[in-house]
């Protein structure tokens, strides 16, 4: 039996698949990307301020460093999320543009230093199990992982649940792996690392 974190499980998945998922051998996991995100946001705001002109009345006020940092962090941990400013602002698309640029720059700097965040790790595994050749991938992983027990499931976010759902419940029939979830929905209100009650409820109806 293997006892590990969800991120440790994802590393095992990529190792199991081997050449099916090309990875930089020098890649290292970055445990905390908050300082890097803050630096990216600060650099973007500085560049935006230098590029602006005082006479441009439609430019609006730049978002604060804290606001842009938080928005980039949210965007990087919730793939596909849409970020937009208030429609009454002079340039409501400014924040969205800065966040998109920030996420692109974050990815560039991480790749430049052969770093991978925990969220990127999860996203890679999700892309593999949801990809066009996922049937072979899922078959390989189901043969290795015959039973999975997830404790503190209320802390699971939508990407993590999508990985486990595809691996252990979708199309599962006789002889399929067993998935056991242990959690307290009342604690999901704390939204630990992006967890939400909707994910818990979706999972409870699927197993």
């Amino acid at each position: 039996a293997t006892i590990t974190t969800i991120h440790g499980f994802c590393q095992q998945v990529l190792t199991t698949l081997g050449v099916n998922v090309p990875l930089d051998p020098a890649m290292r996991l970055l445990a905390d990307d908050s300082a890097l995100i803050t630096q990216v946001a600060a650099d973007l705001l500085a560049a935006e301020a230098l590029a602006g002109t005082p006479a441009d009345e439609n430019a609006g006020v730049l978002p604060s460093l804290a606001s842009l940092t938080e928005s980039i962090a949210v965007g990087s941990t919730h793939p596909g999320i849409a970020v937009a400013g208030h429609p009454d602002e002079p340039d409501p698309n400014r924040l969205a543009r800065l966040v998109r640029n920030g996420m692109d720059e974050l990815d560039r700097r991480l790749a430049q230093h052969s770093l991978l965040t925990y969220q990127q790790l999860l996203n890679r595994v999700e892309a593999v199990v949801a990809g066009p050749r996922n049937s072979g991938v899922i078959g390989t992983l189901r043969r290795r992982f015959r039973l999975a027990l997830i404790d503190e499931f209320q802390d699971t976010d939508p990407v993590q649940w999508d990985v486990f759902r595809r691996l252990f419940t979708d199309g599962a029939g006789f002889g399929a792996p067993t998935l056991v979830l242990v959690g307290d929905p009342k604690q999901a209100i704390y939204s630990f690392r992006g967890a939400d009650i909707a994910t818990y409820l979706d999972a409870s109806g699927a197993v």
Side-chain angles (χ1 to χ4, degrees), residues 9-195:
F9 171 77
C10 287
Q11 287 180 283
Q12 290 185 37
V13 166
L14 296 181
T15 301
T16 298
L17 296 176
V19 296
N20 292 321
V21 184
L23 285 174
D24 181 352
M27 193 72 72
R28 295 171 292 125
L29 276 173
L30 180 63
D32 185 358
D33 59 359
S34 57
L36 181 57
I37 292 176
T38 300
Q39 186 60 58
V40 167
D43 292 346
L44 282 175
L45 290 175
E48 191 81 358
L50 289 173
T53 59
D56 188 359
E57 297 180 356
N58 293 322
V61 178
L62 282 171
S64 67
L65 176 59
S67 174
L68 182 57
T69 299
E70 181 182 8
S71 296
I72 294 174
V74 170
S76 68
T77 55
H78 294 76
I81 192 172
V83 179
H86 193 279
D88 292 337
E89 294 178 358
D91 184 2
N93 296 320
R94 191 177 206 177
L95 178 60
R97 174 171 53 81
L98 285 171
V99 171
R100 286 195 301 270
N101 291 345
M103 293 170 61
D104 290 342
E105 179 62 16
L106 177 63
D107 287 344
R108 188 192 70 78
R109 295 188 189 187
L110 287 166
Q112 181 182 16
H113 297 286
S114 296
L115 294 172
L116 194 70
T117 67
Y118 285 126
Q119 188 61 46
Q120 288 178 319
L121 176 66
L122 287 167
N123 292 345
R124 288 196 180 195
V125 173
E126 183 187 34
V128 169
V129 300
R133 294 183 295 177
N134 70 329
S135 59
V137 167
I138 289 175
T140 298
L141 295 172
R142 285 183 174 179
R143 284 190 293 273
R144 175 174 178 183
F145 301 104
R146 298 301 305 155
L147 183 148
L149 186 152
I150 307 175
D151 196 14
E152 301 291 350
F153 185 78
Q154 73 278 350
D155 296 334
T156 302
D157 67 28
V159 174
Q160 295 167 353
W161 167 235
D162 189 50
V163 169
F164 286 109
R165 176 180 61 78
R166 291 177 183 275
L167 285 180
F168 296 107
T169 68
D170 280 8
F174 179 76
T178 300
L179 177 63
V180 180
L181 308 178
V182 180
D184 179 2
K186 300 185 189 69
Q187 295 184 39
I189 61 173
Y190 299 113
S191 300
F192 180 71
R193 287 188 178 272

